[in-house]
Amino acid sequence: EVQLVESGGGLVQPGGSLRLSCAASGFTFSSYDMHWVRQATGKGLEWVSAIGTAGDPYYPGSVKGRFTISRENAKNSLYLQMNSLRAGDTAVYYCARGAAVAGTDGFDIWGQGTMVTVSS
Amino acid sequence: DVVMTQSPLSLPVTLGQPASISCRSSQSLVHSDGNTYLNWFQQRPGQSPRRLIYKVSNRDSGVPDRFSGSGSGTDFTLKISRVEAEDVGVYYCMQGTHWPQWTFGQGTKVEIK
């Protein structure tokens, strides 16, 4: 079964750091671009970061310089290192598989999400 | 950045009746390769998002044929021919043309009247 399972969420103080993980199974992880998408409670979806099969990372302006995406193909794992966290980063973070080249066809597999709460 | 604008944001529908959601982009979504990378996602209450449609009109496996996508350039539509109870949720359009920046619409909440 094709599956993505996130972990690592929790409560962190403003300015703190957190590392999210995503374990992939059921497909050839190294062959796919991977993404992180977040959703604040009651709000819409926001793309947070992407990593290509060659390890090339991409970010929107809202997290660039604070978040780092990485992957470890030998472990079928995706990571998101989040630093200098702000209250506005509070959200459920989803790991998602990119469909087609560069995720142009969106994200065809999603994890169940992990909750990150930034609060003092 | 490409801005995706959906309307309406809330859509009460009677069971068995059709529903239509509009999605407009601030720039053309026609890629240099000739394809238009406009996707639709469904998020049922308490669930993760699920892709319904890619490249404007291609349904994912297992998606009922009452769902259809259409449009071109900057103007797109998701239609549900006859709304069923399981269709309740929030629907998002998303563009993949202008990668490496992927942008979603605000979401349209479909509920039963």
Side-chain angles (χ1 to χ4, degrees):
Chain A
E1 180 191 4
V2 175
Q3 197 173 9
L4 297 170
V5 178
E6 303 93 335
S7 60
L11 174 64
V12 61
Q13 292 189 338
S17 298
L18 207 58
R19 189 195 195 206
L20 306 183
S21 298
C22 171
S25 59
F27 64 98
T28 305
F29 178 74
S30 60
S31 297
Y32 289 85
D33 298 341
M34 296 297 296
H35 300 254
W36 289 97
V37 176
R38 69 184 179 185
Q39 184 173 38
T41 302
K43 303 297 184 183
L45 302 171
E46 179 188 15
W47 169 73
V48 170
S49 61
I51 187 165
T53 55
D56 41 320
Y58 304 98
Y59 309 95
S62 57
V63 307
K64 196 167 188 177
R66 300 189 299 122
F67 289 11
T68 301
I69 190 172
S70 62
R71 65 190 301 161
E72 193 168 355
N73 291 337
K75 292 187 175 181
N76 291 330
S77 293
L78 177 71
Y79 306 102
L80 185 66
Q81 177 67 43
M82 304 185 294
N83 298 330
S84 303
L85 284 162
R86 309 164 178 165
D89 297 318
T90 295
V92 172
Y93 285 73
Y94 295 101
C95 167
R97 187 177 80 171
V101 175
T104 48
D105 281 342
F107 315 133
D108 61 349
I109 304 295
W110 295 67
Q112 86 288 351
T114 187
M115 182 71 203
V116 172
T117 303
V118 183
S119 174
S120 54
Chain B
D1 287 359
V2 179
V3 177
M4 306 296 290
T5 303
Q6 291 182 228
S7 63
L9 299 184
S10 178
L11 184 56
V13 187
T14 301
L15 285 173
Q17 292 301 301
S20 180
I21 300 170
S22 170
C23 175
R24 290 193 166 95
S25 57
S26 61
Q27 300 177 35
S28 173
L29 296 188
V30 180
H31 193 272
S32 56
D33 66 6
N35 289 309
T36 299
Y37 295 106
L38 186 284
N39 310 283
W40 288 97
F41 296 84
Q42 175 195 60
Q43 188 175 31
R44 290 172 171 151
Q47 295 187 12
S48 300
R50 161 201 183 195
R51 192 183 67 176
L52 289 179
I53 286 174
Y54 59 97
K55 283 195 196 71
V56 180
S57 59
N58 295 274
R59 273 190 306 274
D60 269 272
S61 174
V63 174
D65 61 8
R66 64 179 179 274
F67 288 93
S68 64
S70 63
S72 62
T74 62
D75 203 346
F76 304 92
T77 302
L78 175 70
K79 290 183 179 175
I80 310 174
S81 58
R82 293 173 305 280
V83 171
E84 297 189 5
E86 66 177 18
D87 300 335
V88 164
V90 182
Y91 292 80
Y92 297 91
C93 61
M94 191 213 82
Q95 68 83 20
T97 295
H98 297 276
W99 69 276
Q101 297 292 317
W102 291 263
T103 45
F104 291 92
Q106 318 98 298
T108 295
K109 185 175 184 179
V110 172
E111 56 186 10
I112 305 301
K113 276 184 187 174

Short mmCIF file of all heavy atoms in Angstrom, two decimals, chain A residues 43-104:
data_model
loop_
_atom_site.label_atom_id
_atom_site.label_comp_id
_atom_site.label_asym_id
_atom_site.label_seq_id
_atom_site.Cartn_x
_atom_site.Cartn_y
_atom_site.Cartn_z
N LYS A 43 -8.46 26.93 8.13
CA LYS A 43 -7.97 27.69 6.97
C LYS A 43 -7.66 26.79 5.79
O LYS A 43 -7.86 25.57 5.84
CB LYS A 43 -6.72 28.48 7.37
CG LYS A 43 -6.92 29.41 8.55
CD LYS A 43 -7.92 30.50 8.25
CE LYS A 43 -8.03 31.48 9.42
NZ LYS A 43 -9.06 32.52 9.16
N GLY A 44 -7.16 27.40 4.73
CA GLY A 44 -6.88 26.67 3.51
C GLY A 44 -5.50 26.02 3.48
O GLY A 44 -4.75 26.06 4.46
N LEU A 45 -5.18 25.45 2.34
CA LEU A 45 -3.91 24.76 2.15
C LEU A 45 -2.84 25.73 1.67
O LEU A 45 -3.10 26.59 0.83
CB LEU A 45 -4.08 23.63 1.12
CG LEU A 45 -5.13 22.58 1.47
CD1 LEU A 45 -5.37 21.66 0.28
CD2 LEU A 45 -4.70 21.77 2.69
N GLU A 46 -1.63 25.56 2.20
CA GLU A 46 -0.50 26.41 1.80
C GLU A 46 0.70 25.52 1.53
O GLU A 46 1.16 24.79 2.42
CB GLU A 46 -0.16 27.42 2.90
CG GLU A 46 1.03 28.31 2.54
CD GLU A 46 1.49 29.19 3.70
OE1 GLU A 46 1.10 28.96 4.84
OE2 GLU A 46 2.28 30.12 3.44
N TRP A 47 1.24 25.59 0.32
CA TRP A 47 2.45 24.85 -0.01
C TRP A 47 3.62 25.46 0.77
O TRP A 47 3.79 26.67 0.80
CB TRP A 47 2.73 24.91 -1.51
CG TRP A 47 4.06 24.41 -1.89
CD1 TRP A 47 4.48 23.10 -1.90
CD2 TRP A 47 5.20 25.19 -2.26
NE1 TRP A 47 5.80 23.03 -2.27
CE2 TRP A 47 6.26 24.29 -2.50
CE3 TRP A 47 5.42 26.56 -2.43
CZ2 TRP A 47 7.54 24.72 -2.90
CZ3 TRP A 47 6.68 26.99 -2.83
CH2 TRP A 47 7.72 26.08 -3.06
N VAL A 48 4.44 24.58 1.39
CA VAL A 48 5.48 25.04 2.29
C VAL A 48 6.89 24.77 1.76
O VAL A 48 7.81 25.56 1.99
CB VAL A 48 5.31 24.37 3.67
CG1 VAL A 48 6.51 24.62 4.57
CG2 VAL A 48 4.04 24.85 4.35
N SER A 49 7.08 23.64 1.11
CA SER A 49 8.40 23.35 0.56
C SER A 49 8.33 22.14 -0.36
O SER A 49 7.39 21.35 -0.30
CB SER A 49 9.43 23.09 1.67
OG SER A 49 9.05 21.98 2.43
N ALA A 50 9.35 22.03 -1.20
CA ALA A 50 9.45 20.90 -2.12
C ALA A 50 10.91 20.50 -2.25
O ALA A 50 11.81 21.32 -2.04
CB ALA A 50 8.89 21.26 -3.49
N ILE A 51 11.12 19.23 -2.59
CA ILE A 51 12.48 18.76 -2.86
C ILE A 51 12.44 17.83 -4.06
O ILE A 51 11.59 16.93 -4.14
CB ILE A 51 13.10 18.08 -1.62
CG1 ILE A 51 14.58 17.77 -1.87
CG2 ILE A 51 12.33 16.85 -1.20
CD1 ILE A 51 15.36 17.45 -0.58
N GLY A 52 13.32 18.08 -5.01
CA GLY A 52 13.36 17.26 -6.19
C GLY A 52 14.08 15.96 -5.96
O GLY A 52 14.67 15.72 -4.90
N THR A 53 14.07 15.11 -6.95
CA THR A 53 14.73 13.81 -6.83
C THR A 53 16.24 13.96 -6.66
O THR A 53 16.89 13.11 -6.07
CB THR A 53 14.44 12.93 -8.05
OG1 THR A 53 14.83 13.65 -9.23
CG2 THR A 53 12.95 12.58 -8.13
N ALA A 54 16.78 15.06 -7.14
CA ALA A 54 18.22 15.31 -7.00
C ALA A 54 18.56 16.05 -5.72
O ALA A 54 19.72 16.40 -5.49
CB ALA A 54 18.72 16.11 -8.21
N GLY A 55 17.55 16.30 -4.90
CA GLY A 55 17.77 17.00 -3.63
C GLY A 55 17.66 18.51 -3.71
O GLY A 55 17.96 19.20 -2.74
N ASP A 56 17.23 19.03 -4.85
CA ASP A 56 17.08 20.47 -5.01
C ASP A 56 15.86 20.95 -4.23
O ASP A 56 14.76 20.48 -4.45
CB ASP A 56 16.94 20.82 -6.50
CG ASP A 56 16.07 19.84 -7.25
OD1 ASP A 56 16.16 18.61 -7.00
OD2 ASP A 56 15.28 20.28 -8.10
N PRO A 57 16.04 21.94 -3.31
CA PRO A 57 14.93 22.40 -2.48
C PRO A 57 14.27 23.67 -3.01
O PRO A 57 14.91 24.48 -3.70
CB PRO A 57 15.64 22.70 -1.15
CG PRO A 57 16.99 23.20 -1.58
CD PRO A 57 17.32 22.48 -2.88
N TYR A 58 13.00 23.84 -2.67
CA TYR A 58 12.25 25.02 -3.07
C TYR A 58 11.35 25.45 -1.92
O TYR A 58 10.82 24.60 -1.19
CB TYR A 58 11.39 24.73 -4.31
CG TYR A 58 12.17 24.21 -5.48
CD1 TYR A 58 12.24 22.85 -5.75
CD2 TYR A 58 12.87 25.08 -6.30
CE1 TYR A 58 12.97 22.38 -6.83
CE2 TYR A 58 13.62 24.61 -7.38
CZ TYR A 58 13.65 23.26 -7.64
OH TYR A 58 14.39 22.79 -8.70
N TYR A 59 11.18 26.78 -1.77
CA TYR A 59 10.39 27.32 -0.67
C TYR A 59 9.62 28.55 -1.13
O TYR A 59 10.08 29.29 -1.99
CB TYR A 59 11.30 27.75 0.49
CG TYR A 59 12.29 26.71 0.94
CD1 TYR A 59 13.59 26.71 0.46
CD2 TYR A 59 11.92 25.73 1.86
CE1 TYR A 59 14.51 25.76 0.86
CE2 TYR A 59 12.84 24.77 2.28
CZ TYR A 59 14.12 24.80 1.77
OH TYR A 59 15.03 23.85 2.18
N PRO A 60 8.48 28.81 -0.51
CA PRO A 60 7.83 30.10 -0.72
C PRO A 60 8.50 31.14 0.17
O PRO A 60 9.22 30.79 1.11
CB PRO A 60 6.39 29.84 -0.27
CG PRO A 60 6.54 28.80 0.80
CD PRO A 60 7.71 27.95 0.39
N GLY A 61 8.22 32.40 -0.11
CA GLY A 61 8.86 33.46 0.66
C GLY A 61 8.55 33.42 2.14
O GLY A 61 9.36 33.86 2.97
N SER A 62 7.39 32.89 2.51
CA SER A 62 6.95 32.91 3.91
C SER A 62 7.83 32.06 4.82
O SER A 62 7.85 32.28 6.04
CB SER A 62 5.50 32.43 4.00
OG SER A 62 5.36 31.15 3.43
N VAL A 63 8.54 31.08 4.27
CA VAL A 63 9.36 30.20 5.12
C VAL A 63 10.82 30.17 4.69
O VAL A 63 11.66 29.58 5.39
CB VAL A 63 8.81 28.76 5.16
CG1 VAL A 63 7.34 28.75 5.55
CG2 VAL A 63 9.03 28.05 3.84
N LYS A 64 11.15 30.78 3.57
CA LYS A 64 12.52 30.73 3.07
C LYS A 64 13.47 31.33 4.10
O LYS A 64 13.20 32.39 4.67
CB LYS A 64 12.62 31.50 1.75
CG LYS A 64 13.86 31.20 0.94
CD LYS A 64 13.74 31.75 -0.47
CE LYS A 64 14.90 31.28 -1.34
NZ LYS A 64 14.76 31.75 -2.74
N GLY A 65 14.57 30.62 4.35
CA GLY A 65 15.55 31.06 5.34
C GLY A 65 15.28 30.54 6.73
O GLY A 65 16.15 30.61 7.61
N ARG A 66 14.08 30.02 6.97
CA ARG A 66 13.75 29.46 8.29
C ARG A 66 13.53 27.96 8.24
O ARG A 66 13.83 27.25 9.19
CB ARG A 66 12.47 30.13 8.83
CG ARG A 66 12.56 31.63 8.99
CD ARG A 66 11.34 32.19 9.73
NE ARG A 66 10.10 31.94 9.03
CZ ARG A 66 9.06 31.29 9.55
NH1 ARG A 66 9.13 30.79 10.78
NH2 ARG A 66 7.95 31.13 8.84
N PHE A 67 12.99 27.46 7.13
CA PHE A 67 12.70 26.03 6.97
C PHE A 67 13.71 25.40 6.01
O PHE A 67 14.13 26.03 5.03
CB PHE A 67 11.30 25.81 6.42
CG PHE A 67 10.17 26.13 7.37
CD1 PHE A 67 10.39 26.80 8.57
CD2 PHE A 67 8.87 25.75 7.06
CE1 PHE A 67 9.35 27.09 9.44
CE2 PHE A 67 7.81 26.03 7.92
CZ PHE A 67 8.06 26.70 9.10
N THR A 68 14.06 24.13 6.29
CA THR A 68 14.94 23.38 5.40
C THR A 68 14.34 22.01 5.15
O THR A 68 14.10 21.25 6.09
CB THR A 68 16.34 23.23 6.02
OG1 THR A 68 16.90 24.52 6.28
CG2 THR A 68 17.26 22.46 5.06
N ILE A 69 14.12 21.71 3.89
CA ILE A 69 13.62 20.39 3.52
C ILE A 69 14.79 19.50 3.11
O ILE A 69 15.78 20.00 2.52
CB ILE A 69 12.59 20.51 2.36
CG1 ILE A 69 11.88 19.19 2.11
CG2 ILE A 69 13.25 21.05 1.09
CD1 ILE A 69 10.71 19.29 1.12
N SER A 70 14.70 18.24 3.44
CA SER A 70 15.75 17.30 3.05
C SER A 70 15.13 15.92 2.90
O SER A 70 13.99 15.68 3.31
CB SER A 70 16.88 17.27 4.08
OG SER A 70 16.40 16.84 5.34
N ARG A 71 15.88 15.02 2.30
CA ARG A 71 15.40 13.66 2.10
C ARG A 71 16.55 12.68 2.29
O ARG A 71 17.72 13.03 2.06
CB ARG A 71 14.78 13.51 0.72
CG ARG A 71 15.73 13.68 -0.45
CD ARG A 71 14.97 13.76 -1.79
NE ARG A 71 14.16 12.58 -2.03
CZ ARG A 71 13.16 12.54 -2.91
NH1 ARG A 71 12.84 13.62 -3.61
NH2 ARG A 71 12.47 11.43 -3.09
N GLU A 72 16.20 11.48 2.69
CA GLU A 72 17.17 10.41 2.85
C GLU A 72 16.59 9.20 2.12
O GLU A 72 15.76 8.46 2.69
CB GLU A 72 17.42 10.11 4.32
CG GLU A 72 18.63 9.25 4.59
CD GLU A 72 19.03 9.21 6.06
OE1 GLU A 72 18.41 9.95 6.88
OE2 GLU A 72 19.95 8.46 6.40
N ASN A 73 16.97 9.04 0.87
CA ASN A 73 16.37 8.00 0.04
C ASN A 73 16.61 6.59 0.59
O ASN A 73 15.75 5.72 0.47
CB ASN A 73 16.88 8.10 -1.39
CG ASN A 73 16.37 9.35 -2.10
OD1 ASN A 73 15.33 9.91 -1.73
ND2 ASN A 73 17.11 9.81 -3.10
N ALA A 74 17.75 6.36 1.20
CA ALA A 74 18.06 5.03 1.73
C ALA A 74 17.08 4.64 2.83
O ALA A 74 16.86 3.45 3.09
CB ALA A 74 19.48 4.99 2.26
N LYS A 75 16.50 5.66 3.48
CA LYS A 75 15.54 5.40 4.56
C LYS A 75 14.10 5.71 4.14
O LYS A 75 13.21 5.70 4.98
CB LYS A 75 15.90 6.22 5.79
CG LYS A 75 17.19 5.80 6.46
CD LYS A 75 17.41 6.55 7.77
CE LYS A 75 18.64 6.04 8.50
NZ LYS A 75 18.85 6.75 9.81
N ASN A 76 13.91 6.03 2.86
CA ASN A 76 12.57 6.38 2.36
C ASN A 76 11.93 7.46 3.24
O ASN A 76 10.75 7.38 3.61
CB ASN A 76 11.65 5.16 2.32
CG ASN A 76 12.07 4.16 1.26
OD1 ASN A 76 12.64 4.53 0.23
ND2 ASN A 76 11.82 2.89 1.52
N SER A 77 12.72 8.47 3.55
CA SER A 77 12.27 9.48 4.49
C SER A 77 12.45 10.90 3.99
O SER A 77 13.43 11.22 3.31
CB SER A 77 12.99 9.32 5.84
OG SER A 77 12.60 8.13 6.48
N LEU A 78 11.49 11.74 4.36
CA LEU A 78 11.49 13.16 4.06
C LEU A 78 11.50 13.90 5.39
O LEU A 78 10.89 13.45 6.37
CB LEU A 78 10.22 13.51 3.28
CG LEU A 78 9.98 14.97 2.91
CD1 LEU A 78 10.95 15.41 1.82
CD2 LEU A 78 8.53 15.17 2.46
N TYR A 79 12.17 15.05 5.40
CA TYR A 79 12.26 15.83 6.64
C TYR A 79 11.96 17.30 6.38
O TYR A 79 12.10 17.80 5.26
CB TYR A 79 13.67 15.72 7.24
CG TYR A 79 14.13 14.30 7.44
CD1 TYR A 79 15.02 13.70 6.54
CD2 TYR A 79 13.68 13.53 8.51
CE1 TYR A 79 15.44 12.39 6.71
CE2 TYR A 79 14.09 12.22 8.69
CZ TYR A 79 14.98 11.66 7.78
OH TYR A 79 15.37 10.36 7.95
N LEU A 80 11.55 17.97 7.46
CA LEU A 80 11.39 19.43 7.41
C LEU A 80 11.94 19.99 8.72
O LEU A 80 11.34 19.77 9.78
CB LEU A 80 9.94 19.84 7.22
CG LEU A 80 9.72 21.35 7.03
CD1 LEU A 80 10.34 21.82 5.72
CD2 LEU A 80 8.23 21.71 7.07
N GLN A 81 13.07 20.67 8.62
CA GLN A 81 13.64 21.35 9.78
C GLN A 81 13.08 22.75 9.83
O GLN A 81 13.25 23.53 8.87
CB GLN A 81 15.17 21.38 9.67
CG GLN A 81 15.85 22.14 10.80
CD GLN A 81 15.71 21.44 12.14
OE1 GLN A 81 15.84 20.22 12.24
NE2 GLN A 81 15.44 22.21 13.20
N MET A 82 12.41 23.07 10.92
CA MET A 82 11.76 24.38 11.06
C MET A 82 12.43 25.16 12.18
O MET A 82 12.43 24.71 13.34
CB MET A 82 10.27 24.20 11.34
CG MET A 82 9.56 23.36 10.29
SD MET A 82 7.78 23.27 10.54
CE MET A 82 7.72 22.36 12.07
N ASN A 83 13.01 26.29 11.86
CA ASN A 83 13.67 27.15 12.84
C ASN A 83 12.95 28.49 12.94
O ASN A 83 12.14 28.84 12.09
CB ASN A 83 15.13 27.38 12.43
CG ASN A 83 15.93 26.09 12.38
OD1 ASN A 83 15.66 25.14 13.12
ND2 ASN A 83 16.93 26.06 11.51
N SER A 84 13.28 29.23 13.99
CA SER A 84 12.71 30.57 14.21
C SER A 84 11.18 30.54 14.04
O SER A 84 10.60 31.37 13.33
CB SER A 84 13.31 31.56 13.21
OG SER A 84 14.71 31.60 13.33
N LEU A 85 10.57 29.59 14.68
CA LEU A 85 9.13 29.40 14.52
C LEU A 85 8.33 30.55 15.10
O LEU A 85 8.71 31.16 16.11
CB LEU A 85 8.70 28.07 15.13
CG LEU A 85 9.06 26.84 14.28
CD1 LEU A 85 9.02 25.57 15.11
CD2 LEU A 85 8.12 26.75 13.08
N ARG A 86 7.21 30.83 14.43
CA ARG A 86 6.32 31.93 14.81
C ARG A 86 4.92 31.39 15.04
O ARG A 86 4.59 30.29 14.57
CB ARG A 86 6.25 32.96 13.67
CG ARG A 86 7.58 33.42 13.14
CD ARG A 86 7.41 34.10 11.80
NE ARG A 86 8.68 34.60 11.27
CZ ARG A 86 8.86 34.99 10.01
NH1 ARG A 86 7.83 34.93 9.15
NH2 ARG A 86 10.03 35.43 9.60
N ALA A 87 4.10 32.17 15.69
CA ALA A 87 2.72 31.74 15.93
C ALA A 87 2.01 31.43 14.61
O ALA A 87 1.18 30.51 14.52
CB ALA A 87 1.96 32.83 16.69
N GLY A 88 2.35 32.16 13.57
CA GLY A 88 1.72 31.96 12.26
C GLY A 88 2.10 30.65 11.58
O GLY A 88 1.51 30.29 10.57
N ASP A 89 3.08 29.94 12.15
CA ASP A 89 3.46 28.63 11.60
C ASP A 89 2.62 27.51 12.19
O ASP A 89 2.76 26.35 11.78
CB ASP A 89 4.94 28.34 11.88
CG ASP A 89 5.87 29.34 11.20
OD1 ASP A 89 5.61 29.68 10.02
OD2 ASP A 89 6.84 29.79 11.84
N THR A 90 1.76 27.84 13.15
CA THR A 90 0.89 26.83 13.76
C THR A 90 -0.06 26.26 12.71
O THR A 90 -0.81 27.00 12.07
CB THR A 90 0.08 27.46 14.91
OG1 THR A 90 0.98 27.85 15.95
CG2 THR A 90 -0.93 26.47 15.46
N ALA A 91 -0.01 24.95 12.54
CA ALA A 91 -0.79 24.31 11.48
C ALA A 91 -0.61 22.80 11.54
O ALA A 91 0.29 22.29 12.22
CB ALA A 91 -0.35 24.81 10.11
N VAL A 92 -1.45 22.10 10.80
CA VAL A 92 -1.20 20.70 10.49
C VAL A 92 -0.29 20.69 9.28
O VAL A 92 -0.55 21.38 8.29
CB VAL A 92 -2.51 19.95 10.18
CG1 VAL A 92 -2.20 18.53 9.68
CG2 VAL A 92 -3.40 19.90 11.41
N TYR A 93 0.78 19.92 9.36
CA TYR A 93 1.74 19.81 8.26
C TYR A 93 1.58 18.44 7.59
O TYR A 93 1.67 17.40 8.25
CB TYR A 93 3.17 19.99 8.79
CG TYR A 93 3.48 21.43 9.09
CD1 TYR A 93 2.93 22.07 10.20
CD2 TYR A 93 4.32 22.17 8.25
CE1 TYR A 93 3.19 23.40 10.47
CE2 TYR A 93 4.60 23.51 8.52
CZ TYR A 93 4.03 24.11 9.62
OH TYR A 93 4.29 25.44 9.89
N TYR A 94 1.31 18.49 6.29
CA TYR A 94 1.14 17.28 5.50
C TYR A 94 2.36 17.04 4.63
O TYR A 94 2.90 17.98 4.01
CB TYR A 94 -0.06 17.40 4.57
CG TYR A 94 -1.41 17.50 5.23
CD1 TYR A 94 -2.05 18.73 5.38
CD2 TYR A 94 -2.06 16.36 5.70
CE1 TYR A 94 -3.30 18.82 5.97
CE2 TYR A 94 -3.31 16.44 6.30
CZ TYR A 94 -3.93 17.68 6.42
OH TYR A 94 -5.17 17.76 7.00
N CYS A 95 2.74 15.81 4.53
CA CYS A 95 3.73 15.36 3.56
C CYS A 95 2.94 14.90 2.34
O CYS A 95 1.89 14.26 2.48
CB CYS A 95 4.51 14.20 4.21
SG CYS A 95 5.53 13.21 3.16
N ALA A 96 3.43 15.21 1.14
CA ALA A 96 2.69 14.84 -0.06
C ALA A 96 3.66 14.46 -1.18
O ALA A 96 4.75 15.03 -1.28
CB ALA A 96 1.80 15.98 -0.51
N ARG A 97 3.24 13.52 -2.00
CA ARG A 97 4.06 13.09 -3.12
C ARG A 97 3.73 13.91 -4.36
O ARG A 97 2.55 14.08 -4.70
CB ARG A 97 3.82 11.61 -3.42
CG ARG A 97 4.75 11.02 -4.46
CD ARG A 97 4.50 9.54 -4.66
NE ARG A 97 3.36 9.27 -5.52
CZ ARG A 97 3.03 8.07 -5.99
NH1 ARG A 97 3.75 7.03 -5.64
NH2 ARG A 97 1.99 7.92 -6.78
N GLY A 98 4.75 14.39 -5.03
CA GLY A 98 4.52 15.14 -6.25
C GLY A 98 4.16 14.21 -7.41
O GLY A 98 4.77 13.16 -7.57
N ALA A 99 3.16 14.60 -8.16
CA ALA A 99 2.72 13.80 -9.31
C ALA A 99 3.30 14.38 -10.58
O ALA A 99 3.34 15.58 -10.76
CB ALA A 99 1.20 13.79 -9.38
N ALA A 100 3.75 13.51 -11.46
CA ALA A 100 4.34 13.91 -12.75
C ALA A 100 5.63 14.71 -12.51
O ALA A 100 6.10 14.84 -11.38
CB ALA A 100 3.36 14.71 -13.58
N VAL A 101 6.16 15.25 -13.55
CA VAL A 101 7.42 15.99 -13.45
C VAL A 101 7.22 17.25 -12.63
O VAL A 101 6.31 18.03 -12.88
CB VAL A 101 7.92 16.37 -14.86
CG1 VAL A 101 9.17 17.24 -14.77
CG2 VAL A 101 8.21 15.11 -15.66
N ALA A 102 8.05 17.42 -11.60
CA ALA A 102 8.05 18.63 -10.78
C ALA A 102 6.73 18.89 -10.09
O ALA A 102 6.43 20.03 -9.72
CB ALA A 102 8.43 19.84 -11.63
N GLY A 103 5.92 17.88 -9.90
CA GLY A 103 4.67 18.10 -9.19
C GLY A 103 3.68 18.94 -9.95
O GLY A 103 2.77 19.54 -9.37
N THR A 104 3.82 19.00 -11.26
CA THR A 104 2.90 19.81 -12.06
C THR A 104 1.47 19.30 -11.97
O THR A 104 0.53 20.09 -12.04
CB THR A 104 3.34 19.83 -13.53
OG1 THR A 104 3.63 18.48 -13.95
CG2 THR A 104 4.60 20.67 -13.72
#
